[in-house]
Amino acid sequence: MIDKKADLAGPGISTYEEVEECLPDDYKALLGPKERMKALFKTKNFIEENLCRELNLFMVQVPLIVSKESGINDYLDRDGSRTPIDFSCGLGLEKRIEAQVVQAATKWKRMALKQFGCQAGEGICTDMRAVRKDYFLDHDHGVYVDQWDWERVITEDMRKLEFLRDIVEKIWGVIYEAGQMVKKDFPGLDVDKYPEIPKKLDFFHAEEILERYPDLPRKEREIKMLQEVSPAIFIIGIGYVLEDGYPHEMRAADYDDWITPTIKKHGRQFHGINGDILVWNPVTRRRHELTSMGIRVTKETLPLQLKEAGQEHFLQLPYHQAILKDEIPLSIGGGIGQSRTFMYLLRTAHIGEVTVSVWPNVLTEISKRKNIHVLE
């Protein structure tokens, strides 16, 4: 039996020998740096405009820094392995502000819905920037993170899988159409070497995927699904403990709702109204996560999830109190990785070809040997 516990968090590559092995040997960028940047920003504008139209969102400013005591920062998982950057600020203050660089704007967005006066069916979208210092740095994970973090007000009757699926399909439609647009406007991307971006996104619950591949850890299950079943999938129910005694992934306990019972199948109860879009990247020949999203926790489900995670002390923080006291609206939201999406649509082998960040020398040398030239 493969160790499933070790695979519950992290990118799935932990050595640079593995990185070198998985990167293609026959790579040649389809667009040069100048054309790639033109294509990237055209794609960025297209996705922002159409995402806002399809989900009824409007663009807002988003924080890079939050106070530590607010509890607003995103901890990304439950095991405490990905911690934010802490620092003190405020020259001349008797007691300096204890601040953190955001890892994602997940919690801030939900509170911001009230700040911006959003009504049911209306929401916000952000051009979010963050720092995640505890990633293993490889060809599709960087310290610097950019996302379209979005959030939309919902009503109680929308807290079901059918609504989640409808929103996911709209998001995938925008990504697919962005791919068609940029390929038309930049003919260098229209090559036979790589398959077409799939128009159809297939949905599977994490329990169904486990049932197909019961002896594999989750990343291997995801790879098998993308290779053997569909090159573009949405995995439902990430965070709740599955039939084998492990969650599909250690999803944080205080934003997505992964504990709510949804459907019964094969005599078993499935849980969770959240999930991820994953695609098969034909350039890197690896699984590629584009977005995590979900219907958010309520005053009923938040304490249950925090208890499962052993984090009940979080309930005293302002963000969590706001949920318990119904001071912020019910919502659905997610984060779409910008550079990940550009990497996928523009057919690059390294995220450093579409964003500027810091990379270890060992990765830079591997990239050069593979004819991959990252931005500096």
Tab-separated table of all heavy atoms in Angstrom, residues 44-59 124-126 147-152 167-168 170-175 334-336:
chain	number	residue	atom	x	y	z
A	44	LYS	N	-5.647	37.740	-20.057
A	44	LYS	CA	-6.015	38.244	-18.725
A	44	LYS	C	-7.231	39.154	-18.806
A	44	LYS	O	-8.196	39.000	-18.036
A	44	LYS	CB	-4.829	38.994	-18.115
A	44	LYS	CG	-5.064	39.508	-16.688
A	44	LYS	CD	-3.809	40.226	-16.176
A	44	LYS	CE	-3.909	40.543	-14.692
A	44	LYS	NZ	-5.007	41.466	-14.376
A	45	ASN	N	-7.212	40.083	-19.719
A	45	ASN	CA	-8.344	41.000	-19.864
A	45	ASN	C	-9.612	40.266	-20.268
A	45	ASN	O	-10.709	40.568	-19.775
A	45	ASN	CB	-8.010	42.088	-20.890
A	45	ASN	CG	-6.921	43.019	-20.411
A	45	ASN	OD1	-6.697	43.166	-19.219
A	45	ASN	ND2	-6.216	43.647	-21.349
A	46	PHE	N	-9.468	39.295	-21.177
A	46	PHE	CA	-10.624	38.517	-21.630
A	46	PHE	C	-11.254	37.760	-20.458
A	46	PHE	O	-12.482	37.780	-20.281
A	46	PHE	CB	-10.184	37.525	-22.721
A	46	PHE	CG	-11.306	36.693	-23.282
A	46	PHE	CD1	-11.942	37.069	-24.456
A	46	PHE	CD2	-11.720	35.523	-22.652
A	46	PHE	CE1	-12.985	36.302	-24.983
A	46	PHE	CE2	-12.751	34.747	-23.166
A	46	PHE	CZ	-13.383	35.140	-24.338
A	47	ILE	N	-10.427	37.100	-19.662
A	47	ILE	CA	-10.957	36.299	-18.554
A	47	ILE	C	-11.606	37.193	-17.503
A	47	ILE	O	-12.708	36.898	-17.014
A	47	ILE	CB	-9.848	35.418	-17.949
A	47	ILE	CG1	-9.467	34.306	-18.932
A	47	ILE	CG2	-10.302	34.812	-16.619
A	47	ILE	CD1	-8.324	33.420	-18.485
A	48	GLU	N	-10.973	38.286	-17.147
A	48	GLU	CA	-11.557	39.181	-16.145
A	48	GLU	C	-12.908	39.713	-16.604
A	48	GLU	O	-13.891	39.694	-15.855
A	48	GLU	CB	-10.599	40.335	-15.845
A	48	GLU	CG	-9.433	39.935	-14.969
A	48	GLU	CD	-8.482	41.078	-14.680
A	48	GLU	OE1	-8.798	42.233	-15.054
A	48	GLU	OE2	-7.415	40.822	-14.094
A	49	GLU	N	-12.970	40.184	-17.832
A	49	GLU	CA	-14.211	40.761	-18.357
A	49	GLU	C	-15.328	39.717	-18.411
A	49	GLU	O	-16.463	39.973	-17.990
A	49	GLU	CB	-13.961	41.345	-19.754
A	49	GLU	CG	-15.200	41.953	-20.398
A	49	GLU	CD	-14.916	42.502	-21.789
A	49	GLU	OE1	-13.742	42.778	-22.101
A	49	GLU	OE2	-15.884	42.642	-22.562
A	50	ASN	N	-14.996	38.533	-18.913
A	50	ASN	CA	-16.040	37.530	-19.105
A	50	ASN	C	-16.397	36.790	-17.824
A	50	ASN	O	-17.542	36.363	-17.646
A	50	ASN	CB	-15.609	36.553	-20.200
A	50	ASN	CG	-15.697	37.173	-21.573
A	50	ASN	OD1	-16.760	37.226	-22.181
A	50	ASN	ND2	-14.572	37.700	-22.058
A	51	LEU	N	-15.442	36.654	-16.916
A	51	LEU	CA	-15.756	36.075	-15.614
A	51	LEU	C	-16.729	36.977	-14.870
A	51	LEU	O	-17.712	36.508	-14.271
A	51	LEU	CB	-14.467	35.891	-14.806
A	51	LEU	CG	-14.560	35.117	-13.492
A	51	LEU	CD1	-14.908	33.656	-13.749
A	51	LEU	CD2	-13.247	35.219	-12.725
A	52	CYS	N	-16.478	38.279	-14.914
A	52	CYS	CA	-17.380	39.232	-14.267
A	52	CYS	C	-18.768	39.201	-14.907
A	52	CYS	O	-19.786	39.258	-14.194
A	52	CYS	CB	-16.795	40.636	-14.317
A	52	CYS	SG	-15.409	40.903	-13.190
A	53	ARG	N	-18.819	39.070	-16.217
A	53	ARG	CA	-20.113	39.031	-16.895
A	53	ARG	C	-20.886	37.759	-16.569
A	53	ARG	O	-22.078	37.793	-16.243
A	53	ARG	CB	-19.921	39.137	-18.405
A	53	ARG	CG	-21.243	39.325	-19.167
A	53	ARG	CD	-21.123	39.165	-20.660
A	53	ARG	NE	-20.928	37.766	-21.026
A	53	ARG	CZ	-19.813	37.284	-21.587
A	53	ARG	NH1	-18.798	38.077	-21.823
A	53	ARG	NH2	-19.725	36.012	-21.887
A	54	GLU	N	-20.214	36.616	-16.640
A	54	GLU	CA	-20.883	35.332	-16.433
A	54	GLU	C	-21.356	35.134	-14.995
A	54	GLU	O	-22.412	34.535	-14.762
A	54	GLU	CB	-19.937	34.184	-16.817
A	54	GLU	CG	-19.714	34.038	-18.306
A	54	GLU	CD	-20.967	33.601	-19.037
A	54	GLU	OE1	-21.723	32.776	-18.481
A	54	GLU	OE2	-21.194	34.075	-20.165
A	55	LEU	N	-20.590	35.632	-14.021
A	55	LEU	CA	-20.937	35.406	-12.617
A	55	LEU	C	-21.530	36.638	-11.946
A	55	LEU	O	-21.821	36.606	-10.749
A	55	LEU	CB	-19.698	34.948	-11.839
A	55	LEU	CG	-19.010	33.669	-12.312
A	55	LEU	CD1	-17.939	33.240	-11.314
A	55	LEU	CD2	-20.013	32.534	-12.522
A	56	ASN	N	-21.716	37.710	-12.707
A	56	ASN	CA	-22.242	38.971	-12.184
A	56	ASN	C	-21.360	39.513	-11.062
A	56	ASN	O	-21.797	39.755	-9.937
A	56	ASN	CB	-23.687	38.806	-11.690
A	56	ASN	CG	-24.380	40.146	-11.481
A	56	ASN	OD1	-24.054	41.138	-12.141
A	56	ASN	ND2	-25.328	40.182	-10.558
A	57	LEU	N	-20.083	39.728	-11.405
A	57	LEU	CA	-19.099	40.251	-10.469
A	57	LEU	C	-18.626	41.623	-10.917
A	57	LEU	O	-18.803	42.001	-12.069
A	57	LEU	CB	-17.881	39.309	-10.403
A	57	LEU	CG	-18.132	37.810	-10.247
A	57	LEU	CD1	-16.820	37.045	-10.352
A	57	LEU	CD2	-18.824	37.512	-8.931
A	58	PHE	N	-17.991	42.368	-10.027
A	58	PHE	CA	-17.298	43.594	-10.408
A	58	PHE	C	-15.930	43.599	-9.735
A	58	PHE	O	-15.747	43.034	-8.652
A	58	PHE	CB	-18.108	44.848	-10.052
A	58	PHE	CG	-18.451	44.999	-8.602
A	58	PHE	CD1	-17.654	45.762	-7.752
A	58	PHE	CD2	-19.596	44.400	-8.069
A	58	PHE	CE1	-17.975	45.913	-6.411
A	58	PHE	CE2	-19.922	44.543	-6.732
A	58	PHE	CZ	-19.119	45.293	-5.897
A	59	MET	N	-14.952	44.230	-10.375
A	59	MET	CA	-13.577	44.233	-9.891
A	59	MET	C	-13.423	45.180	-8.706
A	59	MET	O	-13.970	46.287	-8.702
A	59	MET	CB	-12.611	44.647	-10.999
A	59	MET	CG	-12.579	43.720	-12.204
A	59	MET	SD	-12.000	42.046	-11.832
A	59	MET	CE	-10.302	42.368	-11.290
A	124	ILE	N	-17.905	40.008	-6.164
A	124	ILE	CA	-16.689	40.764	-6.443
A	124	ILE	C	-15.618	39.857	-7.044
A	124	ILE	O	-15.610	38.642	-6.822
A	124	ILE	CB	-16.147	41.427	-5.168
A	124	ILE	CG1	-15.831	40.371	-4.091
A	124	ILE	CG2	-17.127	42.461	-4.646
A	124	ILE	CD1	-15.186	40.931	-2.838
A	125	CYS	N	-14.701	40.469	-7.788
A	125	CYS	CA	-13.549	39.761	-8.340
A	125	CYS	C	-12.315	40.610	-8.072
A	125	CYS	O	-12.376	41.847	-8.143
A	125	CYS	CB	-13.723	39.530	-9.839
A	125	CYS	SG	-12.406	38.520	-10.581
A	126	THR	N	-11.198	39.940	-7.756
A	126	THR	CA	-9.968	40.657	-7.431
A	126	THR	C	-8.808	40.161	-8.285
A	126	THR	O	-8.783	39.020	-8.723
A	126	THR	CB	-9.591	40.470	-5.954
A	126	THR	OG1	-9.111	39.127	-5.759
A	126	THR	CG2	-10.773	40.714	-5.038
A	147	GLN	N	-3.860	35.379	-8.480
A	147	GLN	CA	-5.148	34.695	-8.652
A	147	GLN	C	-6.253	35.696	-8.967
A	147	GLN	O	-6.190	36.850	-8.552
A	147	GLN	CB	-5.555	33.953	-7.363
A	147	GLN	CG	-4.754	32.727	-7.059
A	147	GLN	CD	-5.300	31.964	-5.866
A	147	GLN	OE1	-4.869	30.855	-5.609
A	147	GLN	NE2	-6.228	32.530	-5.125
A	148	TRP	N	-7.263	35.209	-9.670
A	148	TRP	CA	-8.548	35.903	-9.680
A	148	TRP	C	-9.317	35.327	-8.504
A	148	TRP	O	-9.908	34.250	-8.595
A	148	TRP	CB	-9.301	35.673	-10.986
A	148	TRP	CG	-8.648	36.331	-12.162
A	148	TRP	CD1	-8.576	37.667	-12.422
A	148	TRP	CD2	-7.979	35.674	-13.255
A	148	TRP	NE1	-7.902	37.891	-13.597
A	148	TRP	CE2	-7.529	36.687	-14.136
A	148	TRP	CE3	-7.728	34.344	-13.587
A	148	TRP	CZ2	-6.841	36.399	-15.307
A	148	TRP	CZ3	-7.053	34.048	-14.746
A	148	TRP	CH2	-6.608	35.072	-15.604
A	149	ASP	N	-9.282	36.025	-7.381
A	149	ASP	CA	-10.049	35.612	-6.209
A	149	ASP	C	-11.417	36.274	-6.312
A	149	ASP	O	-11.514	37.512	-6.367
A	149	ASP	CB	-9.330	36.043	-4.924
A	149	ASP	CG	-8.640	34.893	-4.237
A	149	ASP	OD1	-9.153	33.761	-4.327
A	149	ASP	OD2	-7.596	35.110	-3.609
A	150	TRP	N	-12.461	35.470	-6.339
A	150	TRP	CA	-13.813	35.998	-6.528
A	150	TRP	C	-14.753	35.460	-5.446
A	150	TRP	O	-14.506	34.421	-4.851
A	150	TRP	CB	-14.355	35.641	-7.915
A	150	TRP	CG	-14.496	34.152	-8.131
A	150	TRP	CD1	-13.532	33.287	-8.562
A	150	TRP	CD2	-15.660	33.367	-7.886
A	150	TRP	NE1	-14.022	32.002	-8.591
A	150	TRP	CE2	-15.322	32.018	-8.194
A	150	TRP	CE3	-16.953	33.658	-7.444
A	150	TRP	CZ2	-16.239	30.972	-8.057
A	150	TRP	CZ3	-17.866	32.622	-7.312
A	150	TRP	CH2	-17.521	31.297	-7.629
A	151	GLU	N	-15.836	36.181	-5.202
A	151	GLU	CA	-16.821	35.774	-4.188
A	151	GLU	C	-18.172	36.361	-4.570
A	151	GLU	O	-18.264	37.501	-5.050
A	151	GLU	CB	-16.402	36.276	-2.806
A	151	GLU	CG	-17.059	35.565	-1.654
A	151	GLU	CD	-16.394	34.246	-1.307
A	151	GLU	OE1	-15.279	33.995	-1.819
A	151	GLU	OE2	-16.969	33.479	-0.510
A	152	ARG	N	-19.230	35.581	-4.351
A	152	ARG	CA	-20.576	36.018	-4.755
A	152	ARG	C	-21.583	35.661	-3.667
A	152	ARG	O	-21.533	34.564	-3.093
A	152	ARG	CB	-20.942	35.347	-6.070
A	152	ARG	CG	-22.363	35.563	-6.537
A	152	ARG	CD	-22.556	34.972	-7.910
A	152	ARG	NE	-23.933	34.556	-8.134
A	152	ARG	CZ	-24.419	34.155	-9.298
A	152	ARG	NH1	-23.639	34.103	-10.352
A	152	ARG	NH2	-25.676	33.793	-9.414
A	167	ILE	N	-22.099	27.065	-11.634
A	167	ILE	CA	-21.053	28.080	-11.534
A	167	ILE	C	-19.741	27.562	-12.125
A	167	ILE	O	-19.041	28.269	-12.875
A	167	ILE	CB	-20.855	28.516	-10.071
A	167	ILE	CG1	-22.100	29.220	-9.536
A	167	ILE	CG2	-19.627	29.409	-9.944
A	167	ILE	CD1	-22.417	30.541	-10.198
A	168	VAL	N	-19.401	26.322	-11.813
A	168	VAL	CA	-18.164	25.732	-12.328
A	168	VAL	C	-18.180	25.674	-13.851
A	168	VAL	O	-17.172	25.979	-14.512
A	168	VAL	CB	-17.946	24.319	-11.739
A	168	VAL	CG1	-16.764	23.624	-12.410
A	168	VAL	CG2	-17.712	24.394	-10.236
A	170	LYS	N	-19.745	27.609	-15.886
A	170	LYS	CA	-19.573	28.967	-16.416
A	170	LYS	C	-18.097	29.371	-16.392
A	170	LYS	O	-17.593	29.976	-17.345
A	170	LYS	CB	-20.415	29.957	-15.610
A	170	LYS	CG	-21.915	29.844	-15.890
A	170	LYS	CD	-22.699	30.832	-15.056
A	170	LYS	CE	-24.189	30.733	-15.383
A	170	LYS	NZ	-25.006	31.652	-14.559
A	171	ILE	N	-17.416	29.034	-15.305
A	171	ILE	CA	-15.988	29.358	-15.201
A	171	ILE	C	-15.199	28.613	-16.269
A	171	ILE	O	-14.340	29.194	-16.946
A	171	ILE	CB	-15.460	29.017	-13.796
A	171	ILE	CG1	-16.073	29.964	-12.762
A	171	ILE	CG2	-13.933	29.092	-13.746
A	171	ILE	CD1	-15.791	29.575	-11.321
A	172	TRP	N	-15.479	27.322	-16.428
A	172	TRP	CA	-14.756	26.552	-17.440
A	172	TRP	C	-15.048	27.103	-18.840
A	172	TRP	O	-14.153	27.153	-19.693
A	172	TRP	CB	-15.118	25.071	-17.370
A	172	TRP	CG	-14.374	24.270	-18.394
A	172	TRP	CD1	-14.878	23.668	-19.513
A	172	TRP	CD2	-12.958	24.035	-18.436
A	172	TRP	NE1	-13.877	23.064	-20.239
A	172	TRP	CE2	-12.688	23.272	-19.592
A	172	TRP	CE3	-11.905	24.399	-17.592
A	172	TRP	CZ2	-11.399	22.870	-19.931
A	172	TRP	CZ3	-10.621	23.989	-17.932
A	172	TRP	CH2	-10.381	23.238	-19.087
A	173	GLY	N	-16.279	27.538	-19.078
A	173	GLY	CA	-16.619	28.123	-20.369
A	173	GLY	C	-15.777	29.351	-20.677
A	173	GLY	O	-15.330	29.545	-21.808
A	174	VAL	N	-15.531	30.187	-19.660
A	174	VAL	CA	-14.701	31.382	-19.847
A	174	VAL	C	-13.263	30.976	-20.169
A	174	VAL	O	-12.629	31.540	-21.080
A	174	VAL	CB	-14.750	32.277	-18.596
A	174	VAL	CG1	-13.711	33.389	-18.685
A	174	VAL	CG2	-16.142	32.865	-18.414
A	175	ILE	N	-12.719	30.009	-19.434
A	175	ILE	CA	-11.347	29.553	-19.683
A	175	ILE	C	-11.223	28.952	-21.077
A	175	ILE	O	-10.265	29.244	-21.819
A	175	ILE	CB	-10.919	28.540	-18.605
A	175	ILE	CG1	-10.815	29.236	-17.238
A	175	ILE	CG2	-9.583	27.889	-18.964
A	175	ILE	CD1	-10.580	28.296	-16.076
A	334	GLY	N	-14.012	31.390	-4.982
A	334	GLY	CA	-12.858	30.577	-5.336
A	334	GLY	C	-11.698	31.423	-5.802
A	334	GLY	O	-11.785	32.658	-5.879
A	335	GLY	N	-10.615	30.746	-6.095
A	335	GLY	CA	-9.433	31.404	-6.625
A	335	GLY	C	-8.962	30.691	-7.876
A	335	GLY	O	-8.727	29.480	-7.864
A	336	ILE	N	-8.856	31.420	-8.963
A	336	ILE	CA	-8.371	30.866	-10.230
A	336	ILE	C	-6.933	31.325	-10.408
A	336	ILE	O	-6.654	32.525	-10.470
A	336	ILE	CB	-9.223	31.364	-11.413
A	336	ILE	CG1	-10.703	31.035	-11.178
A	336	ILE	CG2	-8.733	30.744	-12.727
A	336	ILE	CD1	-11.643	31.702	-12.185
